[in-house]
Amino acid sequence: MLTRTAAPGPWTLHLDTPGPDADQAVLAGLPVAATVPGTVHTDLLAAGLIDDPYLDRNELLTPWIGRSRWRYETTLPAPGAPGEADAERTDLVLDGLDTLATVSVDGVERLRTRNMFRSYRVPLDSVDAAHVAVVFDSPWGPFDALDDEARRAFDSPSAHIRKMACNFGWDWGPTLVTAGIWRPVRIESWSVARLAETRVEVRAERGGGHDGAGWRGVVEVGVELERTSTAHDAELVVRVAGATASVVVPAAETSAQVVVEVPVADADLWWPRGSGAQPLHDLEVELLDHETGEPLDRDDRRVGFRSVEVRREADADGESFAFVVNGRPVAALGFNWIPDDCFPHRVTHDDVAARLCDAAEANANILRVWGGGLYESDDFYAQCDELGFLVWQDFAFACALYPEHEWMLQEVEAEARENVVRLMSHPSLAIWNGNNENWLGWDDWGWKERLGDQPWGERYYLDVLPRVVADVSPHAFYWPGSPYSGTPEVYSNDRSRGVVHLWDGWNEQGYQVFADDRPRFVSEFGWQGPPAWRTLTDAVHDDPLLPDSPGVLHHQKAVDGSLKLARGLAPYFDEPADMADWHWAMQLNQARALTFAIEHFRSLRPLNMGSIVWQLNDCWPVASWAVVDSAGRRRPAWFAVRAAFAPRLATIQPRDGELALVLVNDGHEEWAGSAIVRRVGLDGRVLAEQPVTFAVGPVAGQTLTLDPALSAPGDAAAEVLVADVDGAARAFRYFAVDRELAYPRPRLEVKAVPVDGGDVEVTVTTDTFVRDLTLHADRLGAGAAVDEALVTLLPGESATFRVTGVGVLAGTLAAPVLRHAADLLT
C-alpha cells in the first residue's frame, strides 16, 4: 500500500545571491532554520532578522528579499515507516514551490519549476539518506529580462510568471514578493502502481425514483495510473465506494473510467446556504492488485449530489445570468475572497473557519475566489462544502496582459488540469471563470492600442481553459471572464448581460451612482474604509496619528485612496474634526455605500440575480474594501451587509418619480403579510401612514407604490419614512443627506449588565431620534466583539448590544466607544 510521510527536516535557509540594497545585518545572521511549509520572509522574521513587514512602514525595508536567490536544504532520513524500505519506488512530493525553483538530490539537478500553482514529484533513486536542495531564483527575473519594448507592452511583472499576482502589490496589499516551499513536502513509497490522477465528478440528474420524477445521483470516476517498471504486465482493479462498482485495468493500461449511478427516489441533494441542507457522503476510490487483492493506493473524498447551471436567457432587458441549483433559481449574495495572508502557509483551518463564519453570519451564499490570488487549499473548499457556499473559482489571471509564449501555454494547461481535477468533486464548486478584469482592460485601459495585433491572453480564456474544463469536468460551467458580456463582440462590462464590475462610484462619482445601473449580475462592487481602531493602532504607531500621517498613508494602497475617501464623504458630512471622527466617518460611509448598492440591486429582482461584494477579508492591516479586517474584527460595513443580505428584505426605493416599498424574497417559500409605512418627524410624531398587504413568491420581488402623502415631506430636514414589515427588518428612507437633517442631540441612557457566560449586555435607550448607533467593542479590549451595529431608533426606543470578551464594564460608555451619525455634525 502506498505510504505517505511528511518530509521531517530540519530545513535550513541560505542566501545564494543577495538582491540590490541587501540588509547587511540580515546577511550576517544567515543561514537560519527554515519552516516548511513557509517562505523566506517568515523564516527571516522568525529568526529576528527582519521587522514585521505588516507594521508601520517596515515593508519598505524588504524589497531586496524578493530580488535575491535563496536556497533551502535538508537531509532525508533512510526509510523507516512500514512499507517504505521494501517499496519499489520512493518519491519526493512537493505540493507547492513558489516559484522559480531548482530541486537537486545529492547534488544532481532533478527538477526545474516555474509555476506556484502546481505540485511536483521527484523520484528518489536510493533508499539511503539523500541531501535535498531547493534553490529559488528571484520572481522578478522573467520581467527584468525583458527588453524595454516588451516591458512597456507587458508591464505587469506577474504576467511573466505563474505566481500569485498580488505578491507584487495591489490596491489593498503590500509588495512582498515571496519565495519558498509554500505547501507541504512528503515522501511517498509505493509498489506496482499508484493513482497518479483521480477525477471525481458527482452530480444529480432528473429522472430518479419509481415515477422518474425525482433525482438520481451519478458518480463518474476517471483515473490515470503510474506503474513501476516491473508492473506493466499486472492486471489492476479500480474500485469505487467499496464494492459498489469496479473495473479491471488490463496489463500495461494506464487509464480507467468507472461510472456509478445511485438511484434514489428522492436523492439526498446538496443545497447552497439558505436553500436547504448540505448532506455529504464518503467516497472511496481504491486501486487493487487484481491477482492478490492487495490494496495499492486509495483516494478518499466527501461528495454531495447537486445540479448547478447558469441560466442565460434573452429577454426585453438583454440576457439573464442566474445560478440554478437542483432546478431552482438561487439569488447569489456573497463576497470576493482574497488570500487571507500575504504568506498563505500561515492560514490555518481555524482561520478559514472564522472567515467563512463571517460570511455565513452575513447571510452570504457565494464566495468568489479572485484570480489575482490562489487556488485555495483543500480545506477551504471542504469547509465551503460543509457550510453550503457556492464557490466561484477564478483561474489565476488578473488585471494584466499575458504573453502567449509556448512554455506558458503549456504551463497554464498543466496548472488548469491539475486544479480542475483537484477541485471538481466539491459540490460547492459552481463556476470556473477565466480571468479578473482582463477583458475590461482590453476594452477600457488602452491595451488594444498599445499591443495592436500582438497576442495578449485571449487564447487562454477562449481556448486553453474552456478546453481543459470540458475535457476534465464536462458538466462544469465555464465563463471567460469577470466582467464579461458573453462574447468578445459586445463590451465586456455591458450592464444588460453577463457579469459586471461597478467601480465608477468609488473611483469617480460617489455611491449614489449605483442607482443609475440595472445590472444582471454584479461580481464586484464596493467601498473602502479603515480597519477597526485597534487593528489600525496595533499596526501603525505614528505620533500623532492622523489621516495623513506617514504610517496611515502607507497602509492605504489605493491610488488616491485618501482623496477618494474624502470625496465620497463630502456630500453627507463636513470634514471630520479629528482622527477619531475621521475613522468613524469613513467606516460609516463604507457601511452606507454597501447598503445603498445592495438594496438597489436586490430591488431589481429577478432582473438582477447576483451581488458579490468586494471584498470579505484582508491579508494585512490596511484601509480597504473588506468588511472583516486582518485581525478578524468585523467593521460596521459587515453589519450593514448582513442586514442588506437578509433573506427577506424591505427597502424603500424611487420608482418613476415616486417612492415605493420593495419587498424581496430570496427564500423558496412564499412570503406574505402586512406592513405599515409611516412618515415620521424626527421628534417621533406620525405625519402620515399607509397600511399594505403583500404576498411575494419565491426568489422574487414585489413593488408597492406609496401614497403621495408619504413620498412628499412637509419638512425634508426633519422627517423620515419608516416601514415596519412582517418578517423583515425595519426600513428607512431619508429626504435629505445628513448635513441637511435637523438631527436632535440624542439623550442616551446606557446600562451595562453582566450576563451568563461572562458577556455584558449594553442597553441604550433614547428619548430622541438616533441614527446608526454603533458600539466599537475593540476600544474596550483587544478581544472584545459586539453582536450588532448601525442601529437606528425612534424616540423612546431601546437597543441592546451583547459584548463578548470584556468582563465587567466600568465607567460611562460614550464617544469614541459609542457613536452615532449626529456625532459627525457640528
Side-chain angles (χ1 to χ4, degrees):
M1 182 70 174
L2 184 147
T3 61
R4 297 177 175 88
T5 56
W11 292 83
T12 55
L13 174 66
H14 306 255
L15 178 64
D16 277 359
T17 307
D21 302 316
D23 187 321
Q24 296 303 309
V26 176
L27 304 188
L30 293 167
V32 298
T35 299
V36 173
T39 67
V40 170
H41 286 78
T42 51
D43 287 334
L44 297 178
L45 181 61
L49 295 180
I50 63 171
D51 293 325
D52 190 339
Y54 285 9
L55 303 183
D56 298 306
R57 296 192 292 167
N58 295 339
E59 174 202 351
L60 301 177
L61 304 176
T62 65
W64 69 273
I65 298 173
R67 292 189 175 274
S68 300
R69 191 171 192 256
W70 299 92
R71 174 167 36 94
Y72 285 77
E73 290 187 359
T74 192
T75 298
L76 302 178
E84 282 186 351
D86 55 357
E88 293 182 75
R89 277 276 302 272
T90 299
D91 297 335
L92 178 68
V93 181
L94 305 114
D95 284 341
L97 298 174
D98 176 17
T99 295
L100 300 175
T102 302
V103 180
S104 299
V105 180
D106 291 335
V108 179
E109 181 180 313
R110 305 296 297 274
L111 174 70
R112 286 192 176 223
T113 76
R114 45 188 173 185
N115 195 322
M116 181 182 186
F117 308 121
R118 295 178 60 190
S119 62
Y120 300 94
R121 180 177 293 266
V122 176
L124 299 176
D125 296 329
S126 169
V127 297
D128 296 330
H131 179 267
V132 176
V134 186
V135 176
F136 291 94
D137 288 319
S138 168
W140 287 96
F143 182 70
D144 291 343
L146 298 176
D147 60 34
D148 289 344
E149 182 178 352
R151 199 176 301 174
R152 283 191 297 271
F154 296 90
D155 60 355
S156 297
S158 62
H160 305 276
I161 184 172
R162 296 308 299 152
K163 176 176 173 61
M164 184 168 76
C166 60
N167 260 180
F168 292 91
W170 219 263
D171 55 5
W172 39 256
T175 301
L176 295 170
V177 182
T178 55
I181 305 172
W182 76 284
R183 278 185 166 159
V185 179
R186 63 185 179 277
I187 303 297
E188 291 191 356
S189 299
W190 55 282
S191 298
V192 184
R194 69 177 187 91
L195 295 167
E197 178 182 279
T198 306
R199 303 179 300 278
V200 177
E201 188 163 62
V202 181
R203 62 185 185 276
E205 293 182 345
R206 287 198 182 275
H210 302 297
D211 57 3
W215 293 83
R216 70 173 181 272
V218 178
V219 179
E220 293 189 13
V221 176
V223 301
E224 300 294 328
L225 307 179
E226 182 180 10
R227 296 174 180 261
T228 65
S229 58
T230 62
H232 282 279
D233 59 350
E235 286 190 332
L236 307 173
V237 174
V238 175
R239 184 166 63 190
V240 177
T244 302
S246 63
V247 64
V248 175
V249 186
E253 290 292 325
T254 57
S255 64
Q257 186 83 9
V258 185
V259 178
V260 182
E261 291 198 6
V262 186
V264 180
D266 292 299
D268 202 6
L269 297 177
W270 182 96
W271 291 93
R273 304 186 55 77
S275 296
Q278 293 81 42
L280 298 172
H281 311 275
D282 293 330
L283 179 71
E284 176 186 292
V285 180
E286 286 186 297
L287 179 65
L288 310 172
D289 186 304
H290 187 227
E291 181 178 349
T292 66
E294 177 187 358
L296 303 173
D297 197 359
R298 63 184 288 167
D299 187 320
D300 295 326
R301 312 282 179 100
R302 298 195 77 206
V303 301
F305 295 108
R306 90 288 184 266
S307 164
V308 178
E309 61 179 301
V310 174
R311 185 172 291 166
R312 299 169 58 209
E313 297 176 339
D315 56 30
D317 296 288
E319 184 180 83
S320 64
F321 191 99
F323 285 97
V324 178
V325 181
N326 302 331
R328 293 180 180 173
V330 172
L333 301 173
F335 299 97
N336 284 267
W337 173 279
I338 66 169
D340 205 48
D341 195 309
C342 297
F343 310 115
H345 73 278
R346 300 199 300 196
V347 180
T348 66
H349 172 91
D350 289 347
D351 293 332
V352 172
R355 293 296 75 72
L356 295 186
C357 177
D358 290 326
E361 291 185 7
N363 296 310
N365 63 5
I366 189 168
L367 295 171
R368 175 182 172 224
V369 181
W370 171 72
L374 300 165
Y375 308 94
E376 281 290 341
S377 65
D378 293 334
D379 180 57
F380 171 87
Y381 301 97
Q383 292 194 53
C384 287
D385 294 343
E386 293 166 1
L387 291 169
F389 286 108
L390 296 174
V391 173
W392 171 310
Q393 178 66 55
D394 282 12
F395 284 100
F397 295 87
C399 299
L401 292 157
Y402 286 82
E404 297 177 6
H405 303 312
E406 189 58 36
W407 75 264
M408 189 175 282
L409 288 163
Q410 294 174 5
E411 280 292 340
V412 169
E413 183 160 351
E415 161 197 322
R417 182 179 182 95
E418 177 171 340
N419 284 285
V420 173
V421 167
R422 179 170 69 94
L423 303 181
M424 61 189 286
S425 64
H426 289 281
S428 56
L429 185 67
I431 179 174
W432 287 99
N433 176 61
N435 69 77
N436 174 77
E437 293 192 346
N438 290 350
W439 294 104
L440 184 63
W442 187 250
D443 285 340
D444 281 358
W445 301 348
W447 288 0
K448 64 179 70 175
E449 293 78 14
R450 187 197 311 173
L451 254 66
D453 294 333
Q454 293 184 70
W456 60 277
E458 185 179 38
R459 185 173 171 188
Y460 300 119
Y461 321 131
L462 296 183
D463 175 20
V464 176
L465 300 176
R467 174 164 43 81
V468 169
V469 172
D471 176 55
V472 175
S473 184
H475 292 89
F477 181 81
Y478 173 82
W479 188 248
S482 180
Y484 189 69
S485 63
T487 170
E489 307 306 317
V490 175
Y491 176 55
S492 57
N493 216 21
D494 188 319
R495 292 352 188 222
S496 69
R497 64 194 68 243
V499 298
V500 300
H501 291 188
L502 299 180
W503 287 111
D504 293 345
W506 164 253
N507 284 320
E508 299 171 0
Q509 301 177 46
Y511 67 74
Q512 296 287 339
V513 77
F514 284 123
D516 297 338
D517 278 317
R518 291 171 53 83
R520 310 311 297 263
F521 195 108
V522 189
S523 51
E524 270 193 33
F525 68 100
W527 199 268
Q528 208 194 66
W533 181 262
R534 187 170 294 268
T535 303
L536 176 63
T537 55
D538 282 351
V540 177
H541 304 97
D542 294 347
D543 186 13
L545 186 73
L546 300 169
D548 60 352
S549 61
V552 172
L553 290 180
H554 185 75
H555 288 252
Q556 164 61 271
K557 294 296 187 178
V559 175
D560 293 330
S562 295
L563 173 64
K564 291 173 182 176
L565 282 172
R567 184 175 64 203
L569 184 72
Y572 312 103
F573 296 99
D574 296 333
E575 183 176 349
D578 56 27
M579 184 64 181
D581 277 1
W582 176 88
H583 183 265
W584 165 229
M586 296 311 176
Q587 285 203 326
L588 177 59
N589 213 41
Q590 180 188 25
R592 294 267 191 91
L594 292 179
T595 296
F596 183 88
I598 295 167
E599 290 192 0
H600 168 65
F601 299 149
R602 292 189 68 190
S603 77
L604 303 176
R605 191 85 73 240
L607 179 118
N608 174 278
M609 288 296 288
S611 301
I612 306 181
V613 172
W614 186 271
Q615 66 214 63
L616 175 65
N617 57 328
D618 270 333
C619 61
W620 77 312
V622 66
S624 79
W625 298 264
V627 299
V628 180
D629 70 27
S630 61
R633 296 187 174 103
R634 295 171 174 178
R635 300 181 184 183
W638 180 90
F639 295 93
V641 172
R642 181 180 67 175
F645 277 177
R648 292 175 172 177
L649 173 71
T651 179
I652 301 172
Q653 297 285 328
R655 290 291 185 268
D656 300 323
E658 303 288 340
L659 291 177
L661 175 65
V662 182
L663 304 173
V664 184
N665 176 23
D666 282 345
H668 294 287
E669 309 251 337
E670 183 183 71
W671 174 28
S674 62
I676 185 164
V677 185
R678 296 171 289 158
R679 181 161 55 86
V680 179
L682 297 183
D683 59 4
R685 290 180 301 117
V686 176
L687 305 172
E689 66 180 30
Q690 177 184 352
V692 296
T693 59
F694 61 87
V696 191
V699 195
Q702 184 176 4
T703 300
L704 303 169
T705 302
L706 299 179
D707 291 341
L710 289 169
S711 297
D715 182 355
E719 299 174 15
V720 61
L721 275 184
V722 182
D724 290 296
V725 182
D726 290 343
R730 177 183 277 174
F732 292 90
R733 180 85 183 188
Y734 297 87
F735 297 106
V737 298
D738 293 77
R739 62 151 48 98
E740 298 170 357
L741 287 172
Y743 285 134
R745 283 293 167 183
R747 293 180 293 274
L748 305 178
E749 179 185 336
V750 182
K751 293 183 178 179
V753 178
V755 294
D756 292 343
D759 298 347
V760 177
E761 284 191 346
V762 178
T763 299
V764 182
T765 304
T766 179
D767 63 355
T768 58
F769 180 85
V770 60
R771 184 178 181 186
D772 292 322
L773 186 66
T774 297
L775 192 157
H776 294 270
D778 65 291
R779 285 183 174 268
L780 299 173
V786 67
D787 67 340
E788 190 57 272
L790 305 168
V791 177
T792 297
L793 300 174
L794 298 177
E797 294 183 336
S798 299
T800 298
F801 302 87
R802 191 176 183 104
V803 183
T804 61
V806 292
V808 177
L809 288 180
T812 302
L813 288 177
V817 176
L818 198 62
R819 303 301 302 254
H820 50 80
D823 278 347
L824 299 171
L825 299 171
T826 55

